[in-house]
Amino acid sequence: MSDHYYTSNPHAKSEVVSWEYTLRGNEFQFTTDSGVFSKATVDFGSRLLIETVDFNELPEGDLLDVGCGYGPMGLALAKEDPKRIVEMVDVNERAIGLAQQNAQKNNISNVLIHTSNIYDEVKGTELAAVFSNPPIRAGKKVVHEILTGAFEKLAVGGMLMVVIQKKQGAPSAMSKMEETFGNAEVVTKDKGYWIIKSVKE
C-alpha cells in the first residue's frame, strides 16, 4: 500500500524542486518534495483561502494553520502581518522540514512550525483564527476532528476558516461547523471550492 501526504514519514523517493509563487502580492520561493501535498504549485483551494482572508475581520491574537504542508498558507499569512505568530502544524515530518526551510528562505521569523497530529501538540490558545485545507483523503473523521477541535483553541470572536470542495464534503463540513459553533457561512465559492467560516461567539 502506498502512503499519502498525511502519513508521518512518507516513503516516496525524495525529488526536491524549487519554484516561485506570488501570494497576496508577495513573492515567495518554495522548496517542495515528493510525499507532500501539491508539490508542483500552490493548489487552488489553498490559494483561494489565502486570498480570501480579511485581516480587518480578525481579532488580535495569533493564528494556526492545521495541515500546513510545505507552508504556503501559514507563510503567506505570517508575511502579511508580522505582529502575529502563526503556528503551523502537520503530521507529515517531511512537510514540516520543508515548511521550516521555506520560512528561512523567505525571511519569515514570526512562525512556530512543528509536527502535530491535528491539535495534539498545538501550543497556541486563545487564537484569533484557525485555518485549514483539510486532508480529505485522510477521511471524514479526521476532517471533522479539525473542525470541532478548533473551537476550544479559539478566543471568543476568533474564527475557523476552511476550504473544501463541494464534491468532497463541503456541505457536510458546513453542517458540522454549524453544529459546533452555532454558525457557519460560505464566504466564497469558486470552481467548486467553498470557503467556510465559523466564529466562536
Side-chain angles (χ1 to χ4, degrees), residues 112-143:
L112 176 63
I113 304 171
H114 62 97
T115 54
S116 178
N117 182 16
I118 313 182
Y119 298 102
D120 288 356
E121 306 297 329
V122 167
K123 318 290 187 207
T125 57
E126 298 291 302
L127 295 164
V130 174
F131 300 98
S132 187
N133 181 353
I136 300 301
R137 282 201 258 165
K140 182 182 277 192
K141 180 175 182 288
V142 170
V143 173

mmCIF file of all heavy atoms in Angstrom, residues 112-143:
data_model
loop_
_atom_site.group_PDB
_atom_site.id
_atom_site.type_symbol
_atom_site.label_atom_id
_atom_site.label_comp_id
_atom_site.label_asym_id
_atom_site.label_seq_id
_atom_site.Cartn_x
_atom_site.Cartn_y
_atom_site.Cartn_z
ATOM 1 N N LEU A 112 5.875 29.419 14.170
ATOM 2 C CA LEU A 112 6.233 28.288 15.035
ATOM 3 C C LEU A 112 5.792 27.049 14.268
ATOM 4 O O LEU A 112 4.593 26.794 14.130
ATOM 5 C CB LEU A 112 5.510 28.410 16.376
ATOM 6 C CG LEU A 112 5.696 27.262 17.366
ATOM 7 C CD1 LEU A 112 7.155 27.139 17.775
ATOM 8 C CD2 LEU A 112 4.801 27.463 18.590
ATOM 9 N N ILE A 113 6.760 26.307 13.738
ATOM 10 C CA ILE A 113 6.469 25.220 12.803
ATOM 11 C C ILE A 113 6.923 23.899 13.422
ATOM 12 O O ILE A 113 8.101 23.726 13.731
ATOM 13 C CB ILE A 113 7.201 25.454 11.463
ATOM 14 C CG1 ILE A 113 6.836 26.827 10.874
ATOM 15 C CG2 ILE A 113 6.857 24.349 10.474
ATOM 16 C CD1 ILE A 113 7.682 27.224 9.660
ATOM 17 N N HIS A 114 5.992 22.969 13.602
ATOM 18 C CA HIS A 114 6.346 21.691 14.237
ATOM 19 C C HIS A 114 5.314 20.623 13.916
ATOM 20 O O HIS A 114 4.193 20.929 13.491
ATOM 21 C CB HIS A 114 6.480 21.870 15.755
ATOM 22 C CG HIS A 114 5.219 22.314 16.429
ATOM 23 N ND1 HIS A 114 4.365 21.437 17.047
ATOM 24 C CD2 HIS A 114 4.653 23.546 16.578
ATOM 25 C CE1 HIS A 114 3.334 22.099 17.557
ATOM 26 N NE2 HIS A 114 3.485 23.382 17.284
ATOM 27 N N THR A 115 5.698 19.361 14.146
ATOM 28 C CA THR A 115 4.773 18.266 13.880
ATOM 29 C C THR A 115 3.701 18.182 14.961
ATOM 30 O O THR A 115 3.945 18.466 16.131
ATOM 31 C CB THR A 115 5.513 16.907 13.809
ATOM 32 O OG1 THR A 115 6.283 16.737 14.993
ATOM 33 C CG2 THR A 115 6.422 16.834 12.606
ATOM 34 N N SER A 116 2.520 17.814 14.526
ATOM 35 C CA SER A 116 1.407 17.582 15.451
ATOM 36 C C SER A 116 0.356 16.782 14.717
ATOM 37 O O SER A 116 0.061 17.056 13.552
ATOM 38 C CB SER A 116 0.803 18.907 15.935
ATOM 39 O OG SER A 116 -0.301 18.671 16.801
ATOM 40 N N ASN A 117 -0.214 15.799 15.386
ATOM 41 C CA ASN A 117 -1.365 15.084 14.844
ATOM 42 C C ASN A 117 -2.599 15.911 15.180
ATOM 43 O O ASN A 117 -3.089 15.901 16.307
ATOM 44 C CB ASN A 117 -1.452 13.683 15.446
ATOM 45 C CG ASN A 117 -2.610 12.892 14.877
ATOM 46 O OD1 ASN A 117 -3.176 13.261 13.844
ATOM 47 N ND2 ASN A 117 -2.987 11.818 15.535
ATOM 48 N N ILE A 118 -3.053 16.665 14.220
ATOM 49 C CA ILE A 118 -4.123 17.655 14.380
ATOM 50 C C ILE A 118 -3.736 18.587 15.528
ATOM 51 O O ILE A 118 -2.736 19.282 15.426
ATOM 52 C CB ILE A 118 -5.520 17.009 14.546
ATOM 53 C CG1 ILE A 118 -5.724 15.901 13.473
ATOM 54 C CG2 ILE A 118 -6.612 18.062 14.384
ATOM 55 C CD1 ILE A 118 -7.077 15.222 13.501
ATOM 56 N N TYR A 119 -4.494 18.591 16.627
ATOM 57 C CA TYR A 119 -4.234 19.574 17.698
ATOM 58 C C TYR A 119 -3.397 19.020 18.855
ATOM 59 O O TYR A 119 -3.161 19.732 19.836
ATOM 60 C CB TYR A 119 -5.569 20.097 18.253
ATOM 61 C CG TYR A 119 -6.403 20.813 17.222
ATOM 62 C CD1 TYR A 119 -7.486 20.186 16.619
ATOM 63 C CD2 TYR A 119 -6.096 22.114 16.821
ATOM 64 C CE1 TYR A 119 -8.254 20.831 15.652
ATOM 65 C CE2 TYR A 119 -6.850 22.761 15.855
ATOM 66 C CZ TYR A 119 -7.922 22.113 15.279
ATOM 67 O OH TYR A 119 -8.670 22.756 14.327
ATOM 68 N N ASP A 120 -2.916 17.765 18.729
ATOM 69 C CA ASP A 120 -2.272 17.105 19.874
ATOM 70 C C ASP A 120 -1.117 17.907 20.466
ATOM 71 O O ASP A 120 -0.955 17.967 21.690
ATOM 72 C CB ASP A 120 -1.765 15.719 19.472
ATOM 73 C CG ASP A 120 -2.894 14.714 19.269
ATOM 74 O OD1 ASP A 120 -4.069 15.081 19.509
ATOM 75 O OD2 ASP A 120 -2.598 13.570 18.870
ATOM 76 N N GLU A 121 -0.296 18.510 19.609
ATOM 77 C CA GLU A 121 0.893 19.224 20.087
ATOM 78 C C GLU A 121 0.804 20.737 19.885
ATOM 79 O O GLU A 121 1.808 21.439 19.988
ATOM 80 C CB GLU A 121 2.148 18.698 19.366
ATOM 81 C CG GLU A 121 2.351 17.203 19.442
ATOM 82 C CD GLU A 121 2.556 16.710 20.864
ATOM 83 O OE1 GLU A 121 3.111 17.475 21.686
ATOM 84 O OE2 GLU A 121 2.152 15.568 21.168
ATOM 85 N N VAL A 122 -0.382 21.226 19.593
ATOM 86 C CA VAL A 122 -0.543 22.673 19.354
ATOM 87 C C VAL A 122 -0.288 23.449 20.641
ATOM 88 O O VAL A 122 -0.814 23.106 21.707
ATOM 89 C CB VAL A 122 -1.954 22.981 18.797
ATOM 90 C CG1 VAL A 122 -2.259 24.479 18.839
ATOM 91 C CG2 VAL A 122 -2.064 22.478 17.356
ATOM 92 N N LYS A 123 0.525 24.487 20.540
ATOM 93 C CA LYS A 123 0.890 25.297 21.711
ATOM 94 C C LYS A 123 -0.107 26.428 21.950
ATOM 95 O O LYS A 123 -0.338 26.834 23.073
ATOM 96 C CB LYS A 123 2.283 25.926 21.528
ATOM 97 C CG LYS A 123 3.341 25.013 20.927
ATOM 98 C CD LYS A 123 3.760 23.912 21.875
ATOM 99 C CE LYS A 123 4.951 23.142 21.295
ATOM 100 N NZ LYS A 123 5.017 21.773 21.758
ATOM 101 N N GLY A 124 -0.624 26.988 20.875
ATOM 102 C CA GLY A 124 -1.426 28.209 20.968
ATOM 103 C C GLY A 124 -2.764 27.997 21.652
ATOM 104 O O GLY A 124 -3.396 26.947 21.531
ATOM 105 N N THR A 125 -3.181 29.013 22.385
ATOM 106 C CA THR A 125 -4.525 29.060 22.975
ATOM 107 C C THR A 125 -5.077 30.460 22.731
ATOM 108 O O THR A 125 -4.330 31.393 22.415
ATOM 109 C CB THR A 125 -4.497 28.794 24.496
ATOM 110 O OG1 THR A 125 -3.625 29.777 25.111
ATOM 111 C CG2 THR A 125 -3.965 27.401 24.810
ATOM 112 N N GLU A 126 -6.358 30.617 22.870
ATOM 113 C CA GLU A 126 -6.994 31.932 22.667
ATOM 114 C C GLU A 126 -6.582 32.522 21.312
ATOM 115 O O GLU A 126 -6.232 33.694 21.188
ATOM 116 C CB GLU A 126 -6.606 32.896 23.803
ATOM 117 C CG GLU A 126 -7.055 32.447 25.185
ATOM 118 C CD GLU A 126 -8.576 32.505 25.336
ATOM 119 O OE1 GLU A 126 -9.157 33.584 25.161
ATOM 120 O OE2 GLU A 126 -9.185 31.443 25.603
ATOM 121 N N LEU A 127 -6.647 31.695 20.290
ATOM 122 C CA LEU A 127 -6.202 32.099 18.955
ATOM 123 C C LEU A 127 -7.216 33.014 18.272
ATOM 124 O O LEU A 127 -8.428 32.911 18.502
ATOM 125 C CB LEU A 127 -5.976 30.865 18.085
ATOM 126 C CG LEU A 127 -4.849 29.930 18.540
ATOM 127 C CD1 LEU A 127 -4.976 28.571 17.847
ATOM 128 C CD2 LEU A 127 -3.497 30.555 18.248
ATOM 129 N N ALA A 128 -6.696 33.880 17.404
ATOM 130 C CA ALA A 128 -7.577 34.753 16.620
ATOM 131 C C ALA A 128 -8.232 33.980 15.482
ATOM 132 O O ALA A 128 -9.365 34.281 15.082
ATOM 133 C CB ALA A 128 -6.785 35.927 16.055
ATOM 134 N N ALA A 129 -7.521 32.996 14.944
ATOM 135 C CA ALA A 129 -8.086 32.228 13.831
ATOM 136 C C ALA A 129 -7.353 30.913 13.651
ATOM 137 O O ALA A 129 -6.160 30.807 13.926
ATOM 138 C CB ALA A 129 -8.035 33.035 12.537
ATOM 139 N N VAL A 130 -8.109 29.935 13.184
ATOM 140 C CA VAL A 130 -7.573 28.652 12.745
ATOM 141 C C VAL A 130 -7.916 28.501 11.271
ATOM 142 O O VAL A 130 -9.075 28.707 10.875
ATOM 143 C CB VAL A 130 -8.178 27.475 13.551
ATOM 144 C CG1 VAL A 130 -7.713 26.141 12.974
ATOM 145 C CG2 VAL A 130 -7.815 27.591 15.024
ATOM 146 N N PHE A 131 -6.908 28.157 10.477
ATOM 147 C CA PHE A 131 -7.110 27.965 9.044
ATOM 148 C C PHE A 131 -6.734 26.539 8.677
ATOM 149 O O PHE A 131 -5.801 25.969 9.239
ATOM 150 C CB PHE A 131 -6.220 28.928 8.240
ATOM 151 C CG PHE A 131 -6.491 30.377 8.529
ATOM 152 C CD1 PHE A 131 -5.698 31.080 9.420
ATOM 153 C CD2 PHE A 131 -7.539 31.027 7.907
ATOM 154 C CE1 PHE A 131 -5.943 32.415 9.701
ATOM 155 C CE2 PHE A 131 -7.796 32.368 8.179
ATOM 156 C CZ PHE A 131 -6.999 33.067 9.076
ATOM 157 N N SER A 132 -7.450 25.970 7.700
ATOM 158 C CA SER A 132 -7.095 24.621 7.260
ATOM 159 C C SER A 132 -7.628 24.336 5.865
ATOM 160 O O SER A 132 -8.748 24.719 5.514
ATOM 161 C CB SER A 132 -7.652 23.570 8.226
ATOM 162 O OG SER A 132 -7.176 22.278 7.876
ATOM 163 N N ASN A 133 -6.773 23.687 5.083
ATOM 164 C CA ASN A 133 -7.197 22.992 3.868
ATOM 165 C C ASN A 133 -7.098 21.523 4.238
ATOM 166 O O ASN A 133 -6.050 20.909 4.071
ATOM 167 C CB ASN A 133 -6.268 23.351 2.707
ATOM 168 C CG ASN A 133 -6.678 22.685 1.404
ATOM 169 O OD1 ASN A 133 -7.573 21.845 1.374
ATOM 170 N ND2 ASN A 133 -6.010 23.051 0.322
ATOM 171 N N PRO A 134 -8.165 20.967 4.817
ATOM 172 C CA PRO A 134 -8.039 19.662 5.479
ATOM 173 C C PRO A 134 -7.732 18.535 4.500
ATOM 174 O O PRO A 134 -8.115 18.588 3.334
ATOM 175 C CB PRO A 134 -9.403 19.475 6.157
ATOM 176 C CG PRO A 134 -10.327 20.394 5.458
ATOM 177 C CD PRO A 134 -9.520 21.522 4.933
ATOM 178 N N PRO A 135 -7.032 17.493 4.987
ATOM 179 C CA PRO A 135 -6.651 16.357 4.134
ATOM 180 C C PRO A 135 -7.841 15.444 3.895
ATOM 181 O O PRO A 135 -8.084 14.501 4.640
ATOM 182 C CB PRO A 135 -5.557 15.662 4.955
ATOM 183 C CG PRO A 135 -5.931 15.959 6.378
ATOM 184 C CD PRO A 135 -6.551 17.327 6.372
ATOM 185 N N ILE A 136 -8.589 15.713 2.840
ATOM 186 C CA ILE A 136 -9.828 14.981 2.567
ATOM 187 C C ILE A 136 -9.579 13.476 2.487
ATOM 188 O O ILE A 136 -10.374 12.670 2.979
ATOM 189 C CB ILE A 136 -10.463 15.483 1.247
ATOM 190 C CG1 ILE A 136 -10.790 16.991 1.349
ATOM 191 C CG2 ILE A 136 -11.714 14.680 0.924
ATOM 192 C CD1 ILE A 136 -11.729 17.370 2.470
ATOM 193 N N ARG A 137 -8.443 13.089 1.895
ATOM 194 C CA ARG A 137 -8.169 11.654 1.726
ATOM 195 C C ARG A 137 -7.903 10.948 3.051
ATOM 196 O O ARG A 137 -7.885 9.721 3.111
ATOM 197 C CB ARG A 137 -6.987 11.469 0.772
ATOM 198 C CG ARG A 137 -7.390 11.644 -0.674
ATOM 199 C CD ARG A 137 -6.377 10.980 -1.578
ATOM 200 N NE ARG A 137 -5.478 11.949 -2.164
ATOM 201 C CZ ARG A 137 -4.344 11.638 -2.758
ATOM 202 N NH1 ARG A 137 -3.935 10.389 -2.813
ATOM 203 N NH2 ARG A 137 -3.579 12.577 -3.290
ATOM 204 N N ALA A 138 -7.679 11.709 4.110
ATOM 205 C CA ALA A 138 -7.491 11.083 5.423
ATOM 206 C C ALA A 138 -8.821 10.595 5.998
ATOM 207 O O ALA A 138 -8.843 9.850 6.974
ATOM 208 C CB ALA A 138 -6.836 12.072 6.384
ATOM 209 N N GLY A 139 -9.935 11.032 5.397
ATOM 210 C CA GLY A 139 -11.246 10.560 5.823
ATOM 211 C C GLY A 139 -12.024 11.585 6.619
ATOM 212 O O GLY A 139 -11.469 12.528 7.181
ATOM 213 N N LYS A 140 -13.342 11.373 6.655
ATOM 214 C CA LYS A 140 -14.243 12.338 7.292
ATOM 215 C C LYS A 140 -13.960 12.505 8.778
ATOM 216 O O LYS A 140 -14.065 13.598 9.323
ATOM 217 C CB LYS A 140 -15.700 11.899 7.083
ATOM 218 C CG LYS A 140 -16.719 12.865 7.681
ATOM 219 C CD LYS A 140 -18.148 12.379 7.508
ATOM 220 C CE LYS A 140 -18.691 12.734 6.160
ATOM 221 N NZ LYS A 140 -20.171 12.534 6.074
ATOM 222 N N LYS A 141 -13.564 11.418 9.453
ATOM 223 C CA LYS A 141 -13.303 11.507 10.895
ATOM 224 C C LYS A 141 -12.198 12.533 11.173
ATOM 225 O O LYS A 141 -12.331 13.373 12.061
ATOM 226 C CB LYS A 141 -12.905 10.138 11.440
ATOM 227 C CG LYS A 141 -12.606 10.113 12.935
ATOM 228 C CD LYS A 141 -12.348 8.677 13.411
ATOM 229 C CE LYS A 141 -12.085 8.637 14.913
ATOM 230 N NZ LYS A 141 -10.763 9.200 15.263
ATOM 231 N N VAL A 142 -11.111 12.465 10.416
ATOM 232 C CA VAL A 142 -10.002 13.406 10.606
ATOM 233 C C VAL A 142 -10.448 14.825 10.283
ATOM 234 O O VAL A 142 -10.173 15.777 11.030
ATOM 235 C CB VAL A 142 -8.799 13.006 9.724
ATOM 236 C CG1 VAL A 142 -7.738 14.099 9.721
ATOM 237 C CG2 VAL A 142 -8.199 11.696 10.218
ATOM 238 N N VAL A 143 -11.141 14.987 9.167
ATOM 239 C CA VAL A 143 -11.612 16.327 8.769
ATOM 240 C C VAL A 143 -12.495 16.927 9.859
ATOM 241 O O VAL A 143 -12.329 18.085 10.250
ATOM 242 C CB VAL A 143 -12.359 16.262 7.420
ATOM 243 C CG1 VAL A 143 -12.990 17.620 7.096
ATOM 244 C CG2 VAL A 143 -11.409 15.842 6.300
#
